[in-house]
Amino acid sequence: MGTRNLRRALVAFAAGAALLGTVAGAHAQDDIKQRNLRFAFSLAKDHPFGQGAQKFADLVAQKSGGKMKVQLFPGAVLGSDPQNLSAIRGGTLDFTSMATGLVSSIDKQQMVFDLPFLFNDEKEAFAIADGPIGRKLMDDLAPHGVVGLGVWHLGFRHITNSRRPIAKVEDIQGLKLRVIASPVYVEMFNALGANPVPMTFGEVYGALESRAIDGQDNPLGVIESAKFQEVQKYLSLTRHLYTGMGFLMSKKTWDGLSEAEHRIIREAAEEAKQFQRKATVEQEAKSIGGLKKDMQINEVSTAEMARMRAKVQPVVDKFAKEVGESVYGQVSAELKRMRGAN
């Protein structure tokens, strides 16, 4: 073939490919419908989680050419986490997110993220959540009417209270502490000598203010955004539990979407997850400074952390069996491998 003919063939091929691309793009757009989707969660809109939720909504709109809109309902305005979980399973709500300890009410495997003192840092938690183990845990929610879109980041939990600093295990004795309504949380605080009180997040501030409870546990960013420093004097950096947030979608909604819409949701969820994690890590560093203005903050020594870990080991052993020894064994083996590599 001569040079001129070759050039003509290449031009014709490029034109054909462009036409096919345009047609394919048109078909993809045809597969995207006008949709108004609702995303409810308990945290404040200005918390990094709320910022991540807004990022997700923006990305869905952008990737769908404005056809798919996600409306946010922060601050538990549509109901508590258990109510939102029930709503997405029933198809009356499209998206929600909550601590994996609460998701464990429908699938006990999810409790593996909430075992006391499991992770040394957030990088370990991210690696488990994003790897084969975490992906399977998300996939296993489908029979329960839920599509798992990943695990967002809330952070390591610390204890606040209005009575005294917690410098040793004995200081926890007798404190009435609000906990997430998850068995592992209740039994962990029982083992540490506290009186755990399961309570939805929206009720916590009022209960702290009225002194119906002495304290609660949450990551730093949540403590600050919920303004618990207004009604709590002491913050003790215990890092006793890691809290990941399952990002969940109604399977009924999912099943009604096209493949193009599925792709938009998954891509937006992944990008928003990375954005949200980064925002949370950055906020935690700032939160300490802000909380110091109103609270007495103390570190817990390595020796006392070891005593706490020993106290709750029977709880870890018990719930490792409920999670499933296979799942717990895989997580333990992967953490051991990562720590050895480091």
Side-chain angles (χ1 to χ4, degrees):
M1 181 182 292
T3 304
R4 182 176 298 174
N5 289 337
L6 177 59
R7 187 177 296 125
R8 285 176 179 167
L10 289 173
V11 169
F13 176 80
L19 178 61
L20 285 172
T22 302
V23 171
H27 283 310
Q29 285 299 314
D30 287 344
D31 288 340
I32 301 169
K33 307 299 183 188
Q34 294 285 345
R35 299 189 186 277
N36 293 302
L37 305 170
R38 303 192 306 160
F39 181 1
F41 50 94
S42 290
L43 291 164
K45 190 174 183 179
D46 61 355
H47 181 274
F49 183 90
Q51 296 169 27
Q54 185 62 58
K55 183 72 170 177
F56 173 72
D58 292 344
L59 287 166
V60 169
Q62 174 192 322
K63 291 173 182 291
S64 67
K67 289 184 175 181
M68 299 172 72
K69 296 178 176 63
V70 178
Q71 185 177 3
L72 304 184
F73 295 88
V77 294
L78 294 188
S80 65
D81 287 329
Q83 288 171 323
N84 288 339
L85 182 57
S86 177
I88 67 162
R89 296 180 74 192
T92 58
L93 179 66
D94 304 300
F95 301 98
T96 191
S97 183
M98 65 195 66
T100 48
L102 292 171
V103 185
S104 69
S105 65
I106 60 171
D107 182 359
K108 288 189 176 182
Q109 294 179 109
Q110 301 291 322
M111 276 193 297
V112 74
F113 290 106
D114 299 270
L115 295 176
F117 301 104
L118 180 65
F119 300 116
N120 287 337
D121 54 42
E122 60 267 6
K123 289 181 181 178
E124 290 187 350
F126 296 166
I128 296 297
D130 296 344
I133 300 168
R135 289 196 297 272
K136 184 178 185 302
L137 289 175
M138 289 292 102
D139 291 344
D140 285 349
L141 292 172
H144 305 284
V146 176
V147 174
L149 294 170
V151 179
W152 290 17
H153 176 54
L154 203 61
F156 284 91
R157 302 179 83 89
H158 309 280
I159 300 173
T160 71
N161 80 98
S162 56
R163 289 175 58 183
R164 55 181 174 264
I166 295 168
K168 56 186 186 297
V169 177
E170 288 77 11
D171 294 329
I172 302 175
Q173 188 75 35
L175 290 178
K176 187 180 286 188
L177 300 177
R178 175 267 177 175
V179 299
I180 283 178
S182 168
V184 68
Y185 282 74
V186 173
E187 295 205 24
M188 182 199 71
F189 276 113
N190 274 328
L192 291 171
N195 295 321
V197 181
M199 185 182 294
T200 61
F201 184 75
E203 300 174 292
V204 179
Y205 186 97
L208 294 171
E209 186 176 35
S210 67
R211 298 295 178 94
I213 55 176
D214 299 312
Q216 59 84 53
D217 76 319
N218 255 304
L220 296 173
V222 177
I223 293 168
E224 185 178 40
S225 69
K227 302 187 186 305
F228 290 155
Q229 66 271 26
E230 296 177 349
V231 289
Q232 296 276 269
K233 184 175 181 181
Y234 304 103
L235 166 58
S236 303
L237 303 177
T238 49
R239 294 176 62 86
H240 52 279
L241 280 172
Y242 173 77
T243 299
M245 298 284 285
F247 182 30
L248 314 174
M249 184 176 184
S250 169
K251 191 170 186 301
K252 287 189 176 181
T253 303
W254 177 265
D255 288 346
L257 301 183
S258 67
E259 285 303 313
E261 291 168 329
H262 286 170
R263 187 165 57 253
I264 287 168
I265 295 295
R266 287 207 180 275
E267 288 177 359
E270 177 63 25
E271 290 177 40
K273 177 184 74 177
Q274 299 302 336
F275 171 88
Q276 185 274 332
R277 286 176 175 177
K278 185 173 183 288
T280 299
V281 170
E282 291 173 352
Q283 182 61 44
E284 291 238 313
K286 297 175 185 175
S287 293
I288 279 283
L291 293 169
K292 276 181 179 176
K293 298 173 185 175
D294 301 298
M295 305 182 81
Q296 181 179 319
I297 301 177
N298 70 286
E299 295 272 359
V300 180
S301 71
T302 303
E304 284 301 319
M305 294 284 278
R307 290 185 67 209
M308 289 183 188
R309 188 178 284 106
K311 281 268 190 183
V312 302
Q313 189 58 47
V315 178
V316 174
D317 295 340
K318 174 183 176 178
F319 285 100
K321 292 177 183 176
E322 290 200 21
V323 162
E325 292 186 352
S326 173
V327 173
Y328 178 67
Q330 289 174 51
V331 171
S332 298
E334 181 59 15
L335 290 173
K336 185 177 180 180
R337 185 197 65 77
M338 285 191 288
R339 291 165 186 169
N342 292 334

